[in-house]
């Protein structure tokens, strides 16, 4: 299986933290993995943000309690989901000519694990390995509505359109469940719209979200209203059984 480099590195970093059984310095991790301090720092901060590692006193890091107790999918499972959803991403880009991406839930945010860019000059970019909030992204709202994710304790306002109250989020989650897909109408980044749907395994557990994003210059109100149905239709073509992975 062709491993996604950033996820493979994250797995190596997590394995190293677990093996040490106690706090380690950034330089120790960098040396063990054969990477520079900047890359090691990025790996550690990503693990911390996802709840897989803790930063402790003296700028040291250790594996978190979540590694031993959490029922979230492992990084190996995440890579497997990514590989299985790659054909759906390619099909969505071919059909919509917009960026398609996949994310999983880590802690209180979504983690982008794959994307295929739009072939058009003006395009959206969600870097693989980046994290994003739940309340103002379509992928995050999908996890809130269908994946049992907990709502944020505070609402960061990224644009004037961002949801900033629990009451408004409750209404948005209810609407998302009713329509079957989630929407981001310039709530995370001005000028960008996105639609996303949940991905389940054969046990009915949500394991990922897949979405399509594009600039408002191309995704007007009419096309935005249709985008979620387009993603849903593409995922329906993958059934049954393709996601029996976790």
């Amino acid at each position: 299986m062709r491993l996604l480099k950033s996820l493979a590195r994250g797995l190596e970093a997590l394995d190293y933290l677990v093996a040490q059984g106690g706090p380690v310095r950034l330089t120790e991790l960098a040396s063990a993995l054969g990477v520079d301090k900047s890359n090691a720092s990025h790996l550690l901060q990503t693990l911390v943000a996802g709840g897989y590692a803790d930063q402790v006193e003296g700028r040291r890091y250790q594996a978190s309690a979540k590694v031993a107790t959490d029922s979230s999918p492992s990084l190996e499972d995440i890579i497997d989901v990514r590989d299985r959803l790659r054909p759906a991403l390619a099909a969505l880009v071919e059909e919509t000519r917009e960026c398609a991406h996949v994310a999983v839930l880590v802690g209180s945010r979504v983690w982008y694990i794959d994307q295929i860019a739009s072939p058009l000059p003006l395009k959206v970019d969600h870097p693989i390995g980046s994290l994003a909030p739940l309340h103002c992204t379509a992928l995050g709202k999908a996890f809130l509505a269908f994946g049992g994710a907990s709502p944020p304790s505070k609402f960061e306002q990224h644009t004037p359109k961002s949801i900033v109250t629990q009451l408004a989020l409750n209404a948005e989650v209810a609407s998302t469940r009713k329509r079957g897909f989630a929407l981001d109408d310039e709530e995370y980044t001005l000028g960008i719209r996105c639609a996303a749907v949940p991905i389940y395994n054969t046990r009915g557990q949500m394991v990922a979200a897949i979405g399509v994003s594009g600039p408002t210059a191309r995704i007007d109100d009419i096309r935005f209203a249709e985008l979620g149905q387009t993603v849903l239709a593409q995922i329906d073509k993958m059934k049954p059984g393709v996601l029996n992975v976790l």
Side-chain angles (χ1 to χ4, degrees):
M1 181 176 59
R2 182 169 58 88
L3 298 180
L4 183 63
K5 288 184 178 180
S6 60
L7 292 179
R9 281 296 189 191
L11 179 58
E12 287 183 70
L14 186 57
D15 284 344
Y16 179 78
L17 293 181
V18 171
Q20 302 315 299
V24 301
R25 296 185 184 278
L26 184 151
T27 52
E28 294 172 332
L29 177 73
S31 176
L33 269 60
V35 299
D36 59 34
K37 290 174 61 176
S38 176
N39 285 333
S41 177
H42 176 74
L43 287 169
L44 288 168
Q45 292 304 320
T46 299
L47 291 174
V48 169
Y52 292 100
D54 296 320
Q55 184 173 356
V56 297
E57 189 175 350
R59 294 179 62 82
R60 294 170 181 261
Y61 298 83
Q62 64 185 18
S64 72
K66 176 177 181 176
V67 175
T69 63
D70 190 64
S71 58
S72 299
S74 68
L75 292 180
E76 295 101 322
D77 289 330
I78 290 171
I79 293 170
D80 193 17
V81 169
R82 176 257 179 187
D83 286 347
R84 289 172 183 263
L85 288 177
R86 187 75 177 181
L89 285 187
L92 282 168
V93 173
E94 182 177 0
E95 180 175 359
T96 67
R97 295 182 65 77
E98 303 293 351
C99 173
H101 36 260
V102 179
V104 295
L105 181 69
V106 289
S108 60
R109 290 191 270 184
V110 289
W111 187 13
Y112 289 89
I113 62 170
D114 199 12
Q115 79 162 350
I116 297 179
S118 165
L120 302 174
L122 179 61
K123 63 189 69 180
V124 174
D125 181 31
H126 294 290
I128 295 171
S130 63
L131 293 156
L134 301 180
H135 68 287
C136 58
T137 62
L139 294 160
K141 290 178 189 178
F143 277 103
L144 288 169
F146 307 108
S150 300
S153 57
K154 69 174 185 176
F155 296 84
E156 297 180 2
Q157 185 166 9
H158 293 267
T159 79
K161 291 190 171 185
S162 298
I163 291 174
V164 293
T165 68
Q166 186 63 58
L167 185 63
L169 182 62
N170 290 344
E172 178 70 5
V173 167
S175 296
T176 299
R177 288 173 179 158
K178 185 176 181 179
R179 75 171 79 95
F181 55 86
L183 297 173
D184 165 11
D185 187 6
E186 300 185 85
E187 297 164 53
Y188 189 42
T189 304
L190 285 176
I192 295 176
R193 284 172 158 171
C194 178
V197 305
I199 300 296
Y200 302 97
N201 61 20
T202 54
R203 297 191 298 276
Q205 300 165 325
M206 184 176 173
V207 295
I210 189 167
V212 171
S213 294
T216 53
R218 289 195 298 269
I219 301 182
D220 58 16
D221 291 347
I222 295 176
R223 192 177 181 209
F224 189 41
E226 299 170 347
L227 195 58
Q229 292 293 342
T230 299
V231 183
L232 276 175
Q234 185 57 237
I235 298 306
D236 282 342
K237 294 177 184 178
M238 297 177 60
K239 298 175 181 176
V242 71
L243 292 173
N244 186 19
V245 291
L246 298 181

